[in-house]
Amino acid sequence: MDVEVFKFGGASVNSAQAVQNMASIVKRYHDAGRQMVIVVSAMGKTTNALEQLVPNAKQEDEQEIIFKNLVDYHLQIVRHLFPNPSDEIYVRLRALFADLEESRKRSSGEYNYDYDQVVSYGELLSTTIISAYLEQCGVGNQWVDVRKIIVTDGANRCAQVDWSRTMENREALEQFLKGGRSVVTQGFIAASKEGVTTTLGREGSDYTAAVLSYMLEVKRMTIWKDVPGFLNADPKYFPDTVKIEEMPYHEAIEQAYYGASVIHPKTIKPLQNKQIPLYIKSFINPEAEGSVVGPYEVIKPQIPLYIFKENQVLMSIMPKDFSFIAEENLQRIFSILSQVGVSVNLMQNSALSFSICIDYNKILIDQLIERLSADFKVRYNREMELVTVRHYTQEIIDSIVAGRKVFLEQRSRDTAQLVVED
Ligand code: ASP
Ligand code: MG
């Protein structure tokens, strides 16, 4: 289909000025005759605020204040964009706020279910506002409830896409695009086959855009970000970052796997399967080139890529009975890790001990130690940093270590990983 998918994240729509800027980008493409499916996240930090509004997440009086601030935040943006107080948008927003107010006060007793019912309002609000604003700017569009399109397995808070049921909705989605209008829809949210609202996991809007790109077999997908493209390191940790011009799909998947936060890890695979290029462009400087993830053989330019993960814990797990670290022990350790819900960033074993590097989370680590202690001795170090370098050289490794103590090191042909003191 001759349609392209755009994804705008929370930072690109976090104020009235930001929405105006976003609309001007969309309008330029619209005026050039392009048709778009525009996937939008919740505005600014709305999802964080909504997490606090899940029943029992906070005291009622605190929640009252958070709710009020959230309403004010959206209204203040909307007043800028729609100066006429009798604009229809105000009626629609009032209805959404009333529904949210009801949802946040109705506890089912099941946290993950309640979470999805409340948190999904961030995207419902943002897309309602943006669809109306684009229409006002002359970008004819259809607001689509993505919960009618993307079907999941119903697992609240981290739903998996049910691809075959989702693909059955392809025609419905295409219907909305008939006649040349663009579509505005929500990232991150979806629904079970019974129609219960679910979410795809934090930062899941990139993935939504990829699912829709796959469904429609679009020519390209673009993620509009506050960075110039795919950088070779997070500028927070690195002074002289270089923008990647061309990034092979497999390299982007490796990057996301090792923790690069540019794109959601699940985003690339659906695009790769249909050979759809992914553009990463700056909404601050929309004319600039950006980066392309696509069917390339090598990265261009060929430079090392760095991924830094702070606040890590390095844990060593040793069998109490002096057995070796063998299949039975590993099986037991992995089953405890998955029961507790801890994901492992790096692992290594020797004859007598198994080491893992994981994100620091007090509650999960206490649970993990408690479960492991029946059969294992556990030791751990906090305040570690995990550095991953793809396409490393010895000089790079030396400069990262630079006098710091290395607790663990692993190298393959392409990738070096070091656990060092933070
Ligand atoms: N609004 C959701 C979040 O903040 C999804 C997204 O932004 O991609 O996690
Ligand atoms: Mg976001």
Side-chain angles (χ1 to χ4, degrees), residues 337-385:
L337 284 166
S338 102
Q339 281 158 18
V340 177
V342 168
S343 57
V344 176
N345 299 326
L346 179 73
M347 59 182 117
Q348 185 161 296
N349 71 294
S350 68
L352 297 173
S353 112
F354 182 64
S355 300
I356 54 173
C357 186
I358 57 183
D359 293 346
Y360 177 71
N361 175 322
K362 172 113 182 42
I363 297 172
L364 295 185
I365 285 174
D366 287 348
Q367 281 179 25
L368 190 59
I369 292 176
E370 197 194 306
R371 300 247 194 139
L372 287 168
S373 303
D375 298 317
F376 304 95
K377 254 192 340 211
V378 179
R379 278 207 315 256
Y380 70 94
N381 294 338
R382 275 192 54 191
E383 287 172 23
M384 298 281 116
E385 181 177 12

Side-chain angles (χ1 to χ4, degrees), residues 36-56:
M36 295 153 276
V37 172
I38 302 159
V39 176
V40 188
S41 300
M43 293 174 147
K45 302 271 178 243
T46 296
T47 306
N48 293 350
L50 287 167
E51 285 185 335
Q52 314 283 308
L53 292 181
V54 178
N56 307 318

Side-chain angles (χ1 to χ4, degrees), residues 47-67:
T47 306
N48 293 350
L50 287 167
E51 285 185 335
Q52 314 283 308
L53 292 181
V54 178
N56 307 318
K58 286 248 154 178
Q59 300 284 338
E60 174 56 24
D61 51 341
E62 287 177 273
Q63 289 192 330
E64 287 295 337
I65 298 169
I66 296 166
F67 178 69

Side-chain angles (χ1 to χ4, degrees), residues 211-341:
V211 173
L212 300 178
S213 297
Y214 179 97
M215 278 180 93
L216 296 169
E217 299 190 34
V218 297
K219 287 236 173 76
R220 59 153 131 193
M221 166 173 152
T222 306
I223 298 181
W224 294 92
K225 288 189 74 83
D226 55 2
V227 287
F230 212 124
L231 303 176
N232 74 324
D234 184 337
K236 208 163 71 192
Y237 302 101
F238 215 73
D240 301 311
T241 52
V242 176
K243 194 196 76 190
I244 307 296
E245 287 158 39
E246 295 175 357
M247 172 80 103
Y249 290 120
H250 62 85
E251 185 68 49
I253 292 172
E254 297 278 0
Q255 288 287 302
Y257 171 78
Y258 287 117
S261 57
V262 191
I263 29 184
H264 187 274
K266 284 182 171 172
T267 308
I268 304 294
K269 207 73 189 84
L271 299 176
Q272 183 186 23
N273 286 6
K274 296 269 187 213
Q275 298 283 293
I276 299 165
L278 168 62
Y279 289 74
I280 298 163
K281 283 171 72 79
S282 159
F283 61 76
I284 301 157
N285 190 5
E287 303 294 342
E289 276 287 330
S291 303
V292 195
V293 180
Y296 307 111
E297 288 295 319
V298 291
I299 315 175
K300 182 178 156 198
Q302 288 207 314
I303 46 165
L305 305 167
Y306 301 81
I307 301 138
F308 301 91
K309 270 179 168 282
E310 290 181 321
N311 211 6
Q312 298 292 298
V313 172
L314 183 63
M315 189 176 274
S316 300
I317 304 162
M318 293 143 286
K320 278 184 176 165
D321 60 4
F322 302 107
S323 62
F324 289 130
I325 286 287
E327 287 77 2
E328 316 82 74
N329 280 322
L330 286 176
Q331 195 178 29
R332 180 136 177 71
I333 293 169
F334 279 115
S335 109
I336 293 172
L337 284 166
S338 102
Q339 281 158 18
V340 177

